[in-house]
């Protein structure tokens, strides 16, 4: 029965999820109705997932329930460009994900969760015959996951987690909890590729978009991003919202709760205010409840932060994580035509901190612009074509026109 329901609805947003997202939109309007007056512009970004786009539509319907005249724009990620960064962060390859997993291997901890006697008891209770290839730990985890899915789908299917003992249910959750934390958050002083590239990339968009509105360069009342829990938890961790990051995995096992951070309908909301002195203040909600940022003191009024303080803190984390990258980008584009576009791509996408360019001769003005941009953004570059190998130095045209 479970398999039949799943095959018809795989990847879809459940009816329970639709109600939850619509309710979030309704409450968002009631809490900040002044943002959504008249034909106020609301821009939305979403991944191309059917479930995510349906989530977007439900939340927008909750807003439009109170104001049908809202001017809503829709952008869907196509795996490239700025729209992709808005909802997925910087590009991260499978090799980088695997490298991060190898560096922060959680499997030894998973093995400690289960005692052999517990695994044997489960096997005898549930299965008549057990193939040698069956991983009992994975079987218990599958029971746990299927039970969660039945509840999330708002269906009449039986809760198969009732077949698990209290200890089995707890251990399955503990493994799931550690997996979420270990693969998305910061611990043991480690800088995780997923945390920086996904979380940091989206936070960079949040800062850039907010600054554009604050400076009057962009006329938008609200920017809404719709993505996946695997992208949102790195954002929450990167922001250092209260109760998310722990110094060690042991402390995370005792203090991190995935149901508070990656529950169904998880959302983070930033509300911006300008006080009488012209200073911009920000209030942050996690799952519609006021929260704080660890390591930063809010203003005297409690949960409000100076926008400059938040930006400075998040930018400092960008620099911290950038120092951990050891990637060298190798490019072959004609910068004589495109100017500093490759350097900007490297900086904006977090691809590397150094690039090697194999090019035809540059115009001195273009080279000067590249050197200035790299110097301002902490990038390094070297050019195969720039060197005079016979004299072991830059060619005269470059030596005479660039300071460094």
């Amino acid at each position: 029965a479970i398999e039949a329901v799943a095959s018809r609805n795989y990847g879809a947003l459940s009816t329970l999820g639709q109600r939850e997202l619509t309710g979030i939109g309704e409450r968002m309007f009631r809490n900040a109705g002044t943002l959504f007056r008249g034909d106020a512009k609301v821009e939305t970004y979403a991944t191309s997932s059917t479930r995510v786009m349906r989530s977007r539509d439900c939340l927008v319907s909750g807003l439009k329930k109170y104001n049908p005249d809202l001017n809503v724009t829709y952008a869907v990620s196509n795996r490239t460009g700025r729209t992709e960064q808005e909802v997925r962060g910087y590009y991260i390859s499978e090799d980088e994900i695997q490298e991060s997993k190898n560096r922060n291997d959680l499997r030894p901890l998973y093995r400690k969760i289960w005692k052999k006697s517990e695994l044997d008891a489960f096997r005898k209770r549930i299965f008549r015959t057990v193939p040698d290839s069956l991983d009992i730990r994975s079987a218990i985890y599958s029971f746990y996951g299927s039970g969660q899915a039945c509840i999330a789908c708002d269906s009449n299917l039986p809760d198969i987690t009732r077949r698990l003992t209290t200890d089995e249910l707890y251990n399955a959750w503990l493994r799931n909890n550690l997996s979420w934390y270990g693969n998305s958050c910061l611990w043991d002083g480690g800088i995780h590729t997923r945390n920086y590239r996904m979380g940091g990339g989206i936070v960079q968009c949040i800062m850039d978009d907010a600054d554009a509105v604050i400076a009057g360069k962009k006329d938008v009342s609200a920017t809404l991003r719709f993505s996946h829990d695997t992208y949102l938890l790195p954002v929450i961790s990167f922001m250092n919202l209260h109760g998310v990051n722990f110094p060690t995995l042991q402390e995370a096992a005792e203090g991190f709760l995935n149901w508070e951070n990656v529950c169904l309908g998880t959302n983070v909301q930033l509300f911006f205010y300008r006080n009488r002195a012209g200073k911009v203040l920000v209030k942050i909600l996690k799952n519609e409840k006021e929260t704080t940022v660890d390591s930063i003191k809010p203003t005297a009024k409690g949960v409000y932060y100076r926008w400059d303080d938040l930006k400075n803190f998040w930018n400092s984390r960008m620099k911290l994580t950038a120092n951990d990258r050891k990637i060298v980008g190798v490019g072959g584009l004609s910068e004589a035509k495109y100017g500093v576009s490759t350097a900007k791509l490297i900086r904006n996408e977090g691809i590397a901190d150094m690039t090697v360019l194999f090019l035809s001769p540059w115009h001195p003005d273009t080279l000067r612009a590249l050197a200035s941009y790299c110097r301002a953004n902490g990038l390094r570059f070297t050019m195969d074509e720039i060197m005079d190998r016979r004299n072991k130095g830059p060619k005269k045209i470059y030596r005479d026109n660039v300071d460094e």
Side-chain angles (χ1 to χ4, degrees), residues 224-266:
L224 307 177
R225 298 171 180 83
F226 297 85
S227 190
H228 306 261
D229 45 15
T230 49
Y231 295 93
L232 183 53
L233 183 55
V235 169
I236 294 172
S237 173
F238 190 92
M239 286 182 168
N240 209 31
L241 299 188
H242 178 66
V244 177
N245 291 321
F246 294 85
T248 67
L249 272 182
Q250 182 60 43
E251 292 177 76
E254 297 170 359
F256 178 78
L257 301 174
N258 57 357
W259 68 72
E260 289 186 350
N261 295 291
V262 282
C263 57
L264 299 178
T266 299

Side-chain angles (χ1 to χ4, degrees), residues 352-365:
D353 59 9
M354 179 177 178
T355 185
V356 182
L357 304 174
F358 300 90
L359 310 165
S360 57
W362 288 44
H363 188 283
D365 289 344

